Amino acid sequence: MNKATSTAKKSASAGQTGDVNDKEIVIGKAKIKITHPGKIYFPEDNVTKGMVADYYQQMSACILPYLKNRPESLRRNPNGIHDSGFFHKDAGEDAPSFVKTKELFSESADREIDYIICNNAATLAYLNNLGCIELNPWHSTTKNLDKPDYLLIDIDPSEKNTFEQVIETANTFKQLLDKAGAVSFCKTSGATGLHIYVPLGARYMYEQVKDFAHFCCSKVSEILPAFTTLERSLSKRGDEHIYLDYLQNRRGQTIAAPYSLRPKVGATVSAPLQWKEVKKGLHPGDFTIHNMLARVHQSGDFFEGVLGKGIDIDQCLSNLA
């Protein structure tokens, strides 16, 4: 068992008090109230707001490394998964003192936004109380906002694609990246796709990373032209092609963090995988709020290397020439 999983066990015992209408999570000197913990968030799975908060506390040691120092784009579903919810970026004046923030200019909003930075378990609980079922961090940190820590490719199927095709696409990326000499990691999206990560060590600007991701996606689409595409427009690509999304590699883009819950039926988690698991029979519904903690305790964190030493893009391109 690694250090993160050992700490995760300890965090599961965070103090909880309060009456039947609310719950107080005590973490060090911080006290975070979870209002209406019995509110049903996942009706088909009988998962409550309080259970969501408990999950994140139990998993905090594993998930926080992928959130640390990263601006958060908060997706809030305060009335559960069947509420369309909304995105929220500005911390506002009500954020408690233990919540770290970073003021950045948002081109889409055309104003300065005080982004929340989730660096501790107390902030996790605060976000859960706001209705954040899902956590969406930037790919770069406040220490180096213009240089992402990893390259990301989102394998995003259309309506008529099978998950077996998604698996084949992921393994084709693995083969290409292996040939390039690039270490790669895979996780479920928690929905219908898979995510491929390549560590970069914050060595390259977003534009350079996007160009390399585009190159890799083009190569894979050449190998699998029958059911993959780089066409972003749904109307143009139709419902039989998997979208190979390389445009995730831009400043300010976010995606569900490793171990993040998704607001989907099944209470699924965006689950790190071993490559040997990416084979026929894999299904994203296999990884949920109910079994992720036990999985990590048993096997550890398969994603640690994503934040490790980065690849050499020039060398990778040379290997593929």
Side-chain angles (χ1 to χ4, degrees):
M1 183 183 299
N2 61 21
K3 181 179 179 181
T5 55
S6 176
T7 309
K9 282 188 173 180
K10 295 178 182 177
S11 67
S13 63
Q16 298 175 356
T17 62
D19 60 26
V20 294
N21 295 316
D22 57 61
K23 174 167 61 177
E24 189 175 77
I25 297 178
V26 181
I27 305 169
K29 295 181 179 180
K31 297 180 179 181
I32 307 93
K33 182 179 289 187
I34 305 296
T35 59
H36 309 294
K39 179 183 285 188
I40 298 294
Y41 269 7
F42 296 80
E44 291 82 358
D45 306 284
N46 200 31
V47 171
T48 65
K49 179 180 181 179
M51 292 168 68
V52 168
D54 287 344
Y55 168 80
Y56 278 110
Q57 289 306 301
Q58 292 164 352
M59 291 295 296
S60 61
C62 297
I63 194 170
L64 283 172
Y66 306 104
L67 305 177
K68 186 176 181 181
N69 295 327
R70 300 179 191 279
E72 289 283 330
S73 180
L74 308 182
R75 179 178 178 180
R76 296 174 59 181
N77 295 87
N79 293 311
I81 67 170
H82 296 305
D83 178 1
S84 59
F86 57 95
F87 278 92
H88 168 200
K89 295 181 180 179
D90 212 325
E93 297 180 356
D94 295 331
S97 59
F98 57 76
V99 175
K100 184 178 179 181
T101 63
K102 177 70 173 180
E103 190 171 78
L104 298 170
F105 182 78
S106 169
E107 292 185 1
S108 59
D110 194 29
R111 65 181 179 89
E112 295 288 335
I113 288 178
D114 202 19
Y115 285 88
I116 286 179
I117 311 293
C118 187
N119 282 2
N120 51 58
T123 302
L124 267 179
Y126 171 72
L127 295 179
N128 296 151
N129 189 52
L130 291 179
C132 294
I133 296 172
E134 177 180 288
L135 298 171
N136 297 278
W138 280 33
H139 310 320
S140 52
T141 70
T142 54
K143 295 179 179 179
N144 210 337
L145 287 165
D146 294 315
K147 293 184 177 181
D149 291 290
Y150 42 79
L151 174 151
L152 173 66
I153 294 168
D154 182 5
I155 302 174
D156 184 13
S158 298
E159 183 178 348
K160 292 186 179 179
N161 291 119
T162 66
F163 199 68
E164 284 71 26
Q165 289 174 324
V166 174
I167 291 168
E168 182 178 356
T169 303
N171 280 308
T172 303
F173 273 110
K174 174 69 162 60
Q175 293 162 12
L176 177 73
L177 291 165
D178 282 351
K179 183 178 179 181
V183 64
S184 59
F185 299 81
C186 186
K187 69 179 178 70
T188 66
S189 69
T192 58
L194 291 171
H195 297 156
I196 308 292
Y197 283 58
V198 177
L200 298 172
R203 296 177 59 188
Y204 301 96
M205 301 292 286
Y206 270 106
E207 193 66 24
Q208 295 170 283
V209 177
K210 179 168 68 69
D211 287 347
F212 182 57
H214 179 265
F215 174 83
C216 292
C217 289
S218 296
K219 289 293 185 183
V220 168
S221 193
E222 288 173 7
I223 297 169
L224 303 173
F227 58 85
T228 67
T229 181
L230 274 67
E231 176 55 61
R232 187 176 181 86
S233 169
L234 282 168
S235 61
K236 292 181 180 179
R237 74 174 184 251
D239 57 8
E240 297 181 349
H241 284 80
I242 296 170
Y243 174 45
L244 308 182
D245 186 358
Y246 64 92
L247 293 174
Q248 281 286 342
N249 300 284
R250 295 179 293 177
R251 176 173 158 141
Q253 293 293 301
T254 64
I255 207 160
Y259 305 109
S260 173
L261 282 166
R262 300 299 306 277
K264 306 288 183 182
V265 173
T268 51
V269 171
S270 186
L273 303 168
Q274 298 182 82
W275 273 111
K276 65 182 181 182
E277 296 178 292
V278 187
K279 62 182 181 180
K280 186 176 180 179
L282 174 70
H283 191 276
D286 295 338
F287 311 99
T288 74
I289 190 173
H290 302 297
N291 61 22
M292 185 53 56
L293 182 65
R295 174 177 166 88
V296 172
H297 282 169
Q298 180 177 356
S299 303
D301 180 10
F302 303 134
F303 238 51
E304 286 180 318
V306 164
L307 301 179
K309 183 180 179 181
I311 65 166
D312 183 327
I313 289 180
D314 289 337
Q315 184 61 56
C316 289
L317 289 170
S318 177
N319 293 342
L320 292 172

